[in-house]
Structures are given as structure tokens and as C-alpha cells.
Amino acid sequence: MLTRRSFLTAATATSTPLLFGDGVSLLANEPMRRIERSASPVLLETPIAALAQPITPNELHYVRNHFPTPMLDGRTWRLRVSGAVERELELSLDDLRRMTSRTVTITLECAGNSRASLEPSVRGVQWGNGAVSTSEWTGVSLIDVLNRAGLRGNAVDVVLEGADRGEITAEPRTPGVIQFARSLPIAKARQQDVLLAYRMRNAELPVNHGFPLRAIVPGWYGMSSIKWLTRIVVTDRAYNGYFQSLDYSIFERQQGIVTVTPLTEMQVKSLIISPVARHRVAPNSEHRVQGVAWAGESAVRRVEISVDGGRTWADARLEIGAGTHAWRRWDHVWRTPAQAGRVTLMARATDARGNVQPMQRDTDRRNYMINHVLPVEVEVR
Ligand SMILES: Nc1nc2c(c(=O)[nH]1)N[C@H]1C(S)=C(S)[C@@H](COP(=O)(O)O)O[C@H]1N2
Ligand SMILES: [Mo]
């Protein structure tokens, strides 16, 4: 088993600065910081070296906001539940804290993670590979709140709405100001691990992670985990909001017919954390290739490594991980070649259902769901 220490050593302690693909250099004694992709709305990317820690520290967890950060007062804040329910609810933070709490370890990945690697480039935040993090979230099960309200027999979708709002001025535009919202089908909303979380890794929810309450939807891309949650509306017909039709959707083909489908489940994916792209490795030595892998509602079953640009593959060693919805760390000892030159490393994960990371990008996925194998080129010298 890999210890946390061996990972940190390999990721940070080196005499030469690690040069990150996005141009951020990390010296051994320099504290890790998030990469600011935008100040407003706040967009912060986790540095790749930080992904080596099983649980991402709160101050390194990536942040993806669409609108200015709402500043809510925890004392006056209320969660309203309405729609296809027996009784409407209005809950305070204390009401929620008095309910049975649950803590789960969850890997969240933004559906646009790794977008900067796409060629030709596509629109959206140009994330490197660090729009993914893992944290321990504490809160109440969404279904416990829904059961308090009493779901009616005709309930179809559970719409989660945040307090943040704004106008989208790029195409496709919104008809004025809208709030960030998304829905879950009842079947997903019933899963015990779908949380309304008020704590993040033993601290109060930080403002940019949704204070005072956010949803955590395990296995689904990050856009479903609604922050600054203020309203839950149970609908009696399929919800078709902006952020699951005009945005955060992909094309799908069913018997040759193209449909537009909301993004939901994360696809199986692995990332190489070390060595870093363009990093130099010594010839004829043992180098530990390390990384993480995660899958959506399934589990990671296998990670394979190629050190010859995808011609041959060997099984990596997999850590147990903190549960189905948390990433698993892996490593592989690589005997580097004797001759100097460039080497292309690849990692390829398989989930418990047998889905393997594809080698090629599928353009039906528009600017989202980027899980094809991402090569890392290093220099043996
Ligand atoms: N209310 C609200 N919830 C939101 C968002 C947002 O902009 N507003 N962004 C979503 C997206 S796209 C992602 S990837 C995750 C990111 O969660 P984090 O910032 O805590 O990492 O929050 C989701 N929840
Ligand atoms: Mo996202």
C-alpha cells in the first residue's frame, strides 16, 4: 500500500522545480495554491500535486461558480421545500443540524475538467486537469428532508435551486436574470448518500463551496451539487432548466436519432499526477508513476499504465480508497529506458461495469465529459 507520505514525497520533494503543464511551477518549500482562472465569478483550479492527497484540503478544493458569490446569513437563511409534496417545509440550519447526520467521502469533478487539452479548443473555462477534488461532506440525506415533506405519488423530478443569480450574455442567452438550478430524478434523490451538506471536512461550509447548505450528488458531475441551496421544488413533470438543456448537456444517438441529454454521471477516468508533463526523468532508473482514478456511480476496478505510447499496458497497483464515490490512488514502478529521448505515458482506468476510458475524444460530448486517455510526455535524460 502506498502511504500518504510516500505520495507527498514523490509529488513535492525534488531538487528541480516541477514544471506544470499550465506553466505553474512548484518549488519544494513553496506552499501549494489554487490556480485562479477567474476572480468573478470565482474559478479556482486545484494544483495537480495536491491531487496526491486522499482528501483535498478545503483551501485547495477546486471552485466553480457561475455568478457572483452570494453572501448568505446562516441565521436568517431558510430552505424551502414545495411542489408535489404533502406539506411545504421551511427549515433553518438548526432544524437540519438536529436531523440525523451523515458523512461521506466524495470525488467531485467538473464536467469541463481537462478541457484545455482538447484540440481544436472548445468554449468554456479552460481547465487543466485540476477541476476535480475529494472531500468529506457532512449533512443530512436529501431523502430524509423529502420524506418529512412527504413525496406525492405524481412526483417526477426534484429541482434544487441556489441563491446565486445572473444573466448569461453569451449564446445561448437567458431571458434576463436566472438562478442556478438543476434537477434529480426521484430514483437518484432517494439514494442515502445524496446529501444536503453543511460541513466540509470538519469545518463549516466555506462561502465559495455553498455556505450555509449545498447538495452533494455522488457519482454525478459537479454541476448537480447545487451550492447556496435555498429552494427544493418537487415537480410533477420532467424539469428542463437552462443548466440541463441549453448548457451542461451532450448529444446522444439512439438508433441513429440525435437527442440532447442532460449531463449526469461521471465517466471513468484516471489522471497521472507524477511525473508531470515535460518533466525530466533519469535513464535506467526506477520511477514511480502515480495518479488517481474515479468512476461515476460504479467503482474503479482496474488501472493500466503504458510507457510506450499505448502499445503495451501493465496493471497498476490500486489503493482501496475511501468508498465507491471516492477516487482511488494508484502507482506503478517504471524502469526507465537506457537511452535518452521522449516517452509518452498513459493511464487507462476500467470501472466495475467494464467501461474503459476511450482512447479518442467523442465530439458528441460537445465541451463536456472529457475522459479519454490523456497522454503525458516526459523526457528521459
Ligand atoms: N448554486 C450553484 N451551485 C453550483 C454551481 C454554481 O455556480 N452555483 N456550480 C456547479 C458546478 S459546475 C460545479 S463543478 C460544482 C463545483 O463545486 P465546488 O465549487 O464546491 O468545487 O458546483 C456546482 N454547484
Ligand atoms: Mo462544473
Side-chain angles (χ1 to χ4, degrees):
M1 276 295 109
L2 293 171
T3 62
R4 176 170 177 157
R5 194 182 166 155
S6 64
F7 258 105
L8 291 177
T9 307
T12 59
T14 170
S15 50
T16 47
L18 297 179
L19 198 52
F20 285 85
D22 46 27
V24 177
S25 93
L26 183 80
L27 296 162
N29 51 4
E30 197 177 288
M32 280 195 240
R33 271 189 284 114
R34 287 177 291 201
I35 305 148
E36 188 182 271
R37 300 275 177 220
S38 157
S40 183
V42 179
L43 296 174
L44 299 170
E45 180 166 341
T46 304
I48 290 303
L51 304 185
Q53 302 179 52
I55 307 290
T56 316
N58 286 2
E59 58 287 355
L60 291 176
H61 196 288
Y62 84 95
V63 172
R64 202 298 184 224
N65 296 349
H66 290 74
F67 301 122
T69 306
M71 299 301 217
L72 305 179
D73 180 345
R75 289 162 304 182
T76 54
W77 170 93
R78 294 290 181 274
L79 174 67
R80 296 187 170 80
V81 184
S82 62
V85 291
E86 300 297 345
R87 50 206 155 261
E88 298 197 343
L89 300 179
E90 200 176 295
L91 302 170
S92 69
L93 205 46
D94 280 340
D95 292 334
L96 291 160
R97 288 197 188 112
R98 275 193 293 267
M99 293 173 66
T100 307
S101 77
R102 191 176 180 90
T103 299
V104 288
T105 306
I106 301 291
T107 296
L108 280 185
E109 186 193 19
C110 180
N113 189 31
S114 308
R115 192 177 280 141
S117 65
L118 295 184
E119 280 175 39
S121 61
V122 293
R123 66 179 208 146
V125 184
Q126 294 302 301
W127 297 112
N129 293 322
V132 59
S133 301
T134 299
S135 198
E136 287 162 349
W137 304 93
T138 300
V140 299
S141 294
L142 168 63
I143 190 60
D144 289 354
V145 169
L146 293 176
N147 284 340
R148 258 174 91 157
L151 286 172
R152 286 219 212 111
N154 59 346
V156 173
D157 280 343
V158 178
V159 182
L160 307 172
E161 188 183 62
D164 52 331
R165 46 174 65 222
E167 199 169 343
I168 309 260
T169 51
E171 291 300 336
R173 286 161 202 271
T174 52
V177 168
I178 59 165
Q179 274 168 268
F180 195 84
R182 252 195 156 254
S183 71
L184 301 175
I186 294 290
K188 181 69 183 173
R190 283 189 193 284
Q191 291 178 3
Q192 292 286 325
D193 281 351
V194 174
L195 294 187
L196 303 182
Y198 46 74
R199 287 182 84 73
M200 178 181 188
R201 209 191 183 184
N202 288 320
E204 197 155 72
L205 209 52
V207 171
N208 273 311
H209 292 291
F211 179 85
L213 191 76
R214 76 171 304 169
I216 287 292
V217 181
W220 284 28
Y221 283 112
M223 77 275 133
S224 297
S225 293
I226 303 296
K227 305 190 276 190
W228 311 290
L229 192 66
T230 45
R231 211 151 68 102
I232 297 177
V233 181
V234 182
T235 61
D236 60 3
R237 65 184 112 148
Y239 171 75
N240 195 26
Y242 182 92
F243 295 100
Q244 59 196 59
S245 55
L246 293 174
D247 201 2
Y248 291 105
S249 59
I250 55 163
F251 295 124
E252 257 183 14
R253 285 161 206 269
Q254 292 166 358
Q255 300 175 49
I257 299 171
V258 177
T259 68
V260 178
T261 309
L263 278 168
T264 54
E265 210 185 327
M266 292 193 290
Q267 303 294 301
V268 62
K269 182 164 173 176
S270 57
L271 282 182
I272 296 174
I273 295 171
S274 174
V276 165
R278 299 192 282 283
H279 192 58
R280 212 187 301 146
V281 293
N284 224 346
S285 62
E286 285 202 334
H287 195 97
R288 196 150 168 202
V289 184
Q290 299 164 48
V292 283
W294 61 94
E297 295 179 322
S298 183
V300 174
R301 193 181 62 197
R302 182 181 196 193
V303 174
E304 297 159 285
I305 307 302
S306 173
V307 296
D308 56 12
R311 278 194 301 124
T312 60
W313 298 85
D315 277 309
R317 219 161 44 132
L318 265 179
E319 256 196 3
I320 304 276
T324 334
H325 298 298
W327 58 26
R328 295 178 72 174
R329 301 190 298 171
W330 53 260
D331 81 342
H332 176 72
V333 177
W334 170 37
R335 178 95 227 161
T336 64
Q339 311 95 311
R342 296 202 161 159
V343 173
T344 300
L345 306 176
M346 292 178 179
R348 177 172 77 181
T350 303
D351 71 16
R353 299 174 187 154
N355 295 311
V356 188
Q357 281 186 260
M359 293 302 291
Q360 296 294 327
R361 173 69 186 158
D362 175 356
T363 52
D364 279 357
R365 295 171 173 196
R366 304 174 67 208
N367 50 341
Y368 294 116
M369 214 156 104
I370 302 148
N371 80 318
H372 60 287
V373 171
L374 298 166
V376 169
E377 200 181 75
V378 295
E379 209 184 324
V380 175
R381 186 151 64 87

